[in-house]
Amino acid sequence: MSRVSQAQATENRRRAVAAASQLFRERGANGISVAELMSSIGLTTGGFYKQFSSKDALVAEAIEVAFGDLDRLLAGFDSMHEDHDASRRALVDFYLSAEHRDEPGTGCPTAGFAGDVAREPAAGGVRATYAVGVERFAEWMAADGDDGLPVVASLVGAILLARATAGTELSERILESTHKALASDG
């Protein structure tokens, strides 16, 4: 057996975390095994245990990476629009779209990891990592002296319900009515 170089090991870890970030949002952390995850990037299960102490450690890292992706997306909205209010409106338009609903693997980690994190121990690292990401998202969404949490809760609740009812007329109504309600608030 040949040893993997440090650079290759680092790249393998990055690929595993990126794949986990997407697959966990699509199927849930318990919806994919370590073997399936590693196979999806062409590596063995043994390689996983050389990189991560546990699946929970990978979940926490995948959440952190996903929120980093969200931070970059939000910065992109800010760079594309004349002011932060316009950026927030554009984000709401995107968030409550069929495109976002239908692509959970690349969608918002706040919604994508909510179910899994809710089942984690309150004192665990997974929950703490998730909470930091949610707070950053809410801070970005904050306007007019509020903390952004009501808007984030509305967005996440709507996208979760729309995904759960996808393929029905109700899913479209959830997206449209939430968009209308949020537009009338600001």
Side-chain angles (χ1 to χ4, degrees):
M1 291 178 133
S2 64
R3 285 188 49 85
V4 174
S5 71
Q6 185 65 33
Q8 187 59 55
T10 299
E11 175 60 14
N12 290 348
R13 181 184 185 91
R14 186 202 62 75
R15 288 176 49 225
V17 172
S21 178
Q22 179 175 347
L23 292 170
F24 291 166
R25 282 181 275 174
E26 286 175 4
R27 297 168 43 186
N30 292 325
I32 184 163
S33 69
V34 167
E36 290 172 305
L37 170 68
M38 296 307 281
S39 177
S40 77
I41 59 170
L43 298 173
T44 66
T45 303
F48 174 87
Y49 292 104
K50 290 177 184 172
Q51 293 288 337
F52 304 98
S53 60
S54 66
K55 190 173 180 183
D56 283 347
L58 173 60
V59 172
E61 199 167 325
I63 289 170
E64 191 172 339
V65 164
F67 275 107
D69 292 343
L70 177 60
D71 291 342
R72 284 184 288 286
L73 176 74
L74 299 176
F77 274 94
D78 278 335
S79 70
M80 290 186 324
H81 296 87
E82 66 276 2
D83 61 43
H84 195 65
D85 288 337
S87 296
R88 279 194 302 273
R89 286 190 301 274
L91 184 272
V92 168
D93 292 345
F94 167 75
Y95 204 101
L96 297 172
S97 69
E99 175 189 0
H100 183 233
R101 177 198 59 207
D102 296 342
E103 296 293 333
T106 56
C108 179
T110 310
F113 287 102
D116 286 318
V117 174
R119 290 183 284 279
E120 288 291 322
V126 169
R127 197 172 277 212
T129 299
Y130 180 81
V132 167
V134 172
E135 286 185 287
R136 285 195 322 253
F137 184 27
E139 287 169 5
W140 190 89
M141 289 301 300
D144 300 325
D146 74 21
D147 61 6
L149 288 170
V151 174
V152 169
S154 296
L155 291 171
V156 172
I159 205 68
L160 288 172
L161 291 171
R163 286 176 178 164
T165 58
T168 70
E169 182 267 335
L170 178 59
S171 180
E172 299 300 325
R173 284 186 17 230
I174 290 166
L175 295 174
E176 291 168 9
S177 65
T178 304
H179 191 275
K180 183 178 177 183
L182 290 176
S184 69
D185 284 348

